[in-house]
Amino acid sequence: VTANNETNIPTAEFTNNKVELGSLKIKKNVTVNGKPTTGTSADGTYTFIVTGPDGYESTQTIVITNGVSNEVTIEGLEPGTYTVTEDTENNPDGMSLVGANGITAEVTANNETNIPTAEFTNNKEVRTISLPVRKEWAGKPTKNITVELLADGIVIQKVKLSNDNNWNYTFTDLPRYDDTDGHEIVYTVEEEPIKGYTYSISGDMKTGFVILNTETPPPPPTGDADLPLYILMMILSGLGMIGIISTKKKRRRLE
């Protein structure tokens, strides 16, 4: 600044630029044996590394519960190309990535209605078994019955057998081993009681199970219900004795 510089005033000039920002989504799907699952064997935390313009890098995590897909949204990103890579080395046990890793996505400014998504699917191969169950009757079939499937003594499924499914059903996708400790799961089949029937189960895990329901006859009446019958029998018995005595008297007269 100089004296009397009205015609040559120095200026400190600044320029600010507003950067319009955008967003990016990461979505995680899980399957068991290539199929959607509602179990917990694919649950856990999945980790992703995101890189982008100007040296951008961040770590994102997605938690899966009961096999339900989940996602995370990253906001405030400069427009440009981003690469999302799954950290497969730290995946939950047994989960493998389906398809290629390192998905690229183009982020544009103010993309609230059209957010690009890097979608990943992980699969877990689990040895499973199927268990067919068939109902047979020794007596008149009822309308339907309820059969329970137990794993290690805990009811995990219930199904109604009836004429509609020909008294047959197959429990499918049953894991052979427990994910938590690796022990072999013991499956059993039980039937909810039906009045007037007893049941027995035969078969095994390989051939399936047959449930035979046998109709039981009603028990004889007891207590006061027997009284009229008892009286009738006594009357008939008395008449019989009278007849015998009368016959003997006639024979004596004839003699």
Side-chain angles (χ1 to χ4, degrees), residues 18-239:
K18 183 179 180 181
V19 178
E20 302 292 339
L21 304 176
S23 301
L24 169 66
K25 284 185 180 180
I26 306 172
K27 184 176 182 180
K28 166 57 61 182
N29 308 308
V30 295
T31 58
V32 174
N33 295 336
K35 298 179 181 179
T37 179
T38 57
T40 61
S41 60
D43 287 1
T45 301
Y46 296 81
T47 304
F48 304 87
I49 307 301
V50 183
T51 58
D54 298 327
Y56 175 88
E57 182 173 333
S58 69
T59 300
Q60 305 293 325
T61 59
I62 296 178
V63 176
I64 297 295
T65 304
N66 295 326
V68 179
S69 299
N70 200 2
E71 62 184 33
V72 62
T73 300
I74 311 170
E75 299 177 340
L77 298 177
E78 293 186 14
T81 302
Y82 290 79
T83 301
V84 183
T85 305
E86 182 175 308
D87 183 5
T88 55
E89 293 184 0
N90 291 313
N91 277 348
D93 291 341
M95 299 304 300
S96 59
L97 180 63
V98 178
N101 204 347
I103 297 177
T104 59
E106 193 69 26
V107 174
T108 57
N110 303 315
N111 60 349
E112 289 84 359
T113 59
N114 188 26
I115 300 175
T117 302
E119 187 167 353
F120 297 81
T121 298
N122 288 72
N123 181 64
K124 185 174 187 177
E125 291 294 332
V126 177
R127 182 185 173 190
T128 61
I129 57 174
S130 297
L131 178 59
V133 177
R134 185 174 77 255
K135 163 61 61 181
E136 294 182 354
W137 296 92
K140 183 180 179 181
T142 63
K143 186 176 181 180
N144 57 57
I145 62 167
T146 299
V147 174
E148 299 176 337
L149 177 66
L150 295 82
D152 292 336
I154 300 175
V155 177
I156 59 171
Q157 291 188 48
K158 288 186 179 182
V159 63
K160 288 189 179 296
L161 299 184
S162 66
N163 279 324
D164 294 339
N165 51 26
N166 297 318
W167 303 102
N168 286 272
Y169 186 79
T170 299
F171 296 99
T172 59
D173 296 329
L174 303 175
R176 167 52 71 188
Y177 298 96
D178 191 300
D179 287 337
T180 57
D181 56 18
H183 83 272
E184 189 171 19
I185 299 173
V186 177
Y187 291 98
T188 54
V189 173
E190 294 183 359
E191 178 182 299
E192 291 187 352
I194 305 174
K195 186 177 181 180
Y197 287 86
T198 59
Y199 77 91
S200 59
I201 300 178
S202 60
D204 53 41
M205 296 296 293
K206 292 183 179 180
T207 62
F209 290 93
V210 177
I211 306 175
L212 174 63
N213 278 66
T214 303
E215 191 171 8
T216 55
T222 59
D224 294 340
D226 289 341
L227 186 59
L229 178 61
Y230 176 77
I231 295 173
L232 177 61
M233 291 179 65
M234 291 298 292
I235 293 173
L236 293 175
S237 176
L239 292 175

